[in-house]
Amino acid sequence: MLDTLITSKTRIKLLLKFFLNSQTKSYLRSLEGEFGESTNAIRLELNKFEEAGMLKADVKGNKKVYQANTQHPLFEDIHSIIKKYIGIDRIIEQIIGKVGELDKVYLIGEYAKGVDSGIIDFLLVGNHFNHDYIANMTGIAEKKIDRKIRFLYMNPQEFMGQVPTAEAGLLLWES
């Protein structure tokens, strides 16, 4: 869907990187290694996003570090579109109701860092999880979004003091 509207693969990767988790920060050379694309193509897109005010940049030493501008009027809309593109909104809607005594849901792993790895990792915090229901709904959701889904389960006692950092985990839902 998104690749029909946006023809630049580099632009899509940058949108995923910065607008899924607004705490994600990166610089040109790290993006080059991560995306496997030339610095020139990435630089052009970064400059366009920065000129539009969608990314903000800070110079740290000899590196220009980019991050999403959460104050931009379109930030929330783009964030929502990216979540829909990945399918996170559908996954949560399908499993929250009957999953068990759920307290929190975090997106962790590569997607939390803005990397489209094809595997979506979630951390579920709560008690008495209905593993059969989760497995069934996961299979349905995986077919709909064409991505693999994995879960890590923790009860609230295990979770205490284990709150993922902003770049390592993204809080998606809280009771």
Side-chain angles (χ1 to χ4, degrees):
M1 168 192 83
L2 197 56
D3 37 359
T4 303
L5 295 172
I6 301 172
T7 56
S8 168
K9 300 292 184 204
T10 304
R11 192 172 301 150
I12 291 173
K13 289 176 185 178
L14 288 170
L15 285 169
L16 286 168
K17 179 75 175 176
F18 293 111
F19 288 89
L20 182 59
N21 184 349
S22 64
Q23 299 302 308
T24 300
K25 296 179 182 180
S26 197
Y27 59 96
L28 181 61
R29 292 285 181 199
S30 71
L31 292 170
E32 174 190 31
E34 185 179 315
F35 294 173
E37 296 185 25
S38 74
T39 55
N40 200 34
I42 297 168
R43 182 183 295 111
L44 288 172
E45 295 297 339
L46 286 171
N47 289 342
K48 287 178 186 176
F49 280 128
E50 188 178 13
E51 287 171 16
M54 298 170 78
L55 289 180
K56 55 186 178 181
D58 292 319
V59 177
K60 298 194 179 184
N62 63 348
K63 296 176 184 171
K64 192 171 184 180
V65 180
Y66 295 90
Q67 183 176 10
N69 179 4
T70 57
Q71 303 304 310
H72 192 278
L74 295 176
F75 174 80
E76 287 301 325
D77 295 325
I78 294 169
H79 178 71
S80 177
I81 289 168
I82 295 299
K83 286 192 335 189
K84 287 178 180 166
Y85 170 70
I86 292 171
I88 291 172
D89 59 330
R90 287 184 272 172
I91 296 166
I92 292 173
E93 286 174 15
Q94 287 188 352
I95 66 168
I96 291 286
K98 300 177 185 173
V99 77
E101 297 172 13
L102 193 61
D103 294 339
K104 297 177 183 182
V105 177
Y106 284 90
L107 176 66
I108 58 175
E110 294 299 307
Y111 274 99
K113 298 173 190 169
V115 178
D116 188 355
S117 66
I119 300 173
I120 303 173
D121 293 306
F122 291 100
L123 169 61
L124 302 181
V125 180
N127 291 300
H128 311 293
F129 293 108
N130 184 341
H131 295 284
D132 292 335
Y133 176 76
I134 293 170
N136 185 38
M137 289 294 107
T138 299
I140 293 168
E142 285 177 340
K143 289 176 187 167
K144 285 185 177 182
I145 65 170
D146 196 30
R147 287 173 172 80
K148 176 98 175 102
I149 302 169
R150 297 186 301 198
F151 293 97
L152 174 64
Y153 303 94
M154 286 187 162
N155 64 45
Q157 294 76 29
E158 292 172 320
F159 183 70
M160 288 182 79
Q162 301 291 325
V163 179
T165 62
E167 287 194 19
L170 177 63
L171 181 63
L172 298 174
W173 185 86
E174 190 171 24
S175 64

